[in-house]
Amino acid sequence: MDGTLVDSEKLWDIPLFEITRELGGELSAETRAAMVGSNIPTTLDLIFAEVGVTPTPSQRREITERIDRRMLELFVDGLEWRPGAQEALKAVRATGVPMALVTSTERALTDVALATIGRDLFDVTVCGDEVDGRHKPQPEPYLRASRMLDVDPAACVAVEDSPTGIAAATGAGCAVLAIPCEVPIEPAQGRVVRDSLVGVDLTVLADVLAAARQPVG
């Protein structure tokens, strides 16, 4: 969702940079890039490591709640589509192919985003707080989605924008269509890279799936 369908990574910048500064540090580009596609616990670990602070459990809870409140405000104010994303979703949905939204974002924020994206575009949704701590880059989010859809992960194409998400999808056995947003991504076995979702339809996804099945070399 974030950075793939909607241009929300820039919104996450706001509380993450604010909190890092309040803790006495400055969020580096490298650390911020490592957060892309991850979850809140991992993001907090990276922030505290960046500023050299060992947090108390209450401090972690307080900062998590602040990030959640701030992001809720920003999501409610409105989300911008990534290029071609809305059209691609509608084009694939019209074919009747099963579709799942798999995101590291927690359910409360995802539900707000779905007001913009469209709940009716997905058969199932899997959020970061629904995988028993087995977040991306672990494969469980995609494995859970495939179970809920009752499909083989090897017959699925995951659309991702981050190395973290790609690792999860690849680990689950999915083919990957990568649309880089904040972090560069190179083509690789099982992965096709495009500049945007402009022009993506079921035929494009079928080509991605076929390419992923080609033997190496």
Side-chain angles (χ1 to χ4, degrees):
M1 184 178 74
D2 295 289
T4 306
L5 300 179
V6 290
D7 199 10
S8 50
E9 286 294 346
K10 295 178 179 62
L11 300 181
W12 284 99
D13 283 347
I14 296 170
L16 299 181
F17 278 93
E18 288 175 349
I19 286 168
T20 306
R21 291 183 184 121
E22 289 175 16
L23 291 171
E26 193 68 35
L27 191 59
S28 67
E30 293 77 15
T31 300
R32 178 63 185 98
M35 296 174 178
V36 175
S38 70
N39 53 80
I40 290 293
T42 299
T43 293
L44 290 186
D45 289 343
L46 289 166
I47 287 177
F48 288 124
E50 184 92 307
V51 300
V53 170
T54 301
T56 63
S58 62
Q59 188 178 22
R60 287 184 69 96
R61 286 194 300 271
E62 187 268 335
I63 291 178
T64 297
E65 290 169 359
R66 286 180 56 195
I67 293 174
D68 287 344
R69 287 196 301 271
R70 188 71 174 106
M71 289 306 300
L72 184 60
E73 294 171 357
L74 294 168
F75 271 40
V76 169
D77 285 343
L79 294 167
E80 294 185 9
W81 285 97
R82 292 278 292 150
Q86 186 175 28
E87 296 79 7
L89 279 176
K90 290 181 177 179
V92 177
R93 187 60 169 171
T95 68
V97 168
M99 294 172 63
L101 177 67
V102 181
T103 177
S104 293
T105 300
E106 296 181 354
R107 171 58 64 183
L109 280 177
T110 300
D111 282 343
V112 174
L114 284 171
T116 294
I117 297 170
R119 301 175 194 277
D120 60 323
L121 292 172
F122 304 98
D123 297 285
V124 301
T125 57
V126 176
C127 299
D129 53 346
E130 298 172 340
V131 289
D132 301 321
R134 291 173 289 175
H135 312 95
K136 299 176 184 180
Q138 297 184 63
E140 178 56 24
Y142 279 105
L143 292 174
R144 180 181 175 88
S146 65
R147 290 194 299 267
M148 293 171 70
L149 291 174
D150 194 24
V151 296
D152 184 347
C156 298
V157 178
V159 184
E160 276 285 354
D161 72 298
S162 70
T164 298
I166 290 170
T170 302
C174 304
V176 176
L177 173 59
I179 312 293
C181 180
E182 301 292 331
V183 181
I185 298 170
E186 297 296 326
Q189 175 65 24
R191 179 195 317 164
V192 173
V193 180
R194 287 175 62 106
D195 292 334
S196 76
L197 285 168
V198 173
V200 170
D201 57 15
L202 189 61
T203 299
V204 171
L205 297 184
D207 289 343
V208 171
L209 190 61
R213 290 171 171 168
Q214 295 296 317
V216 177

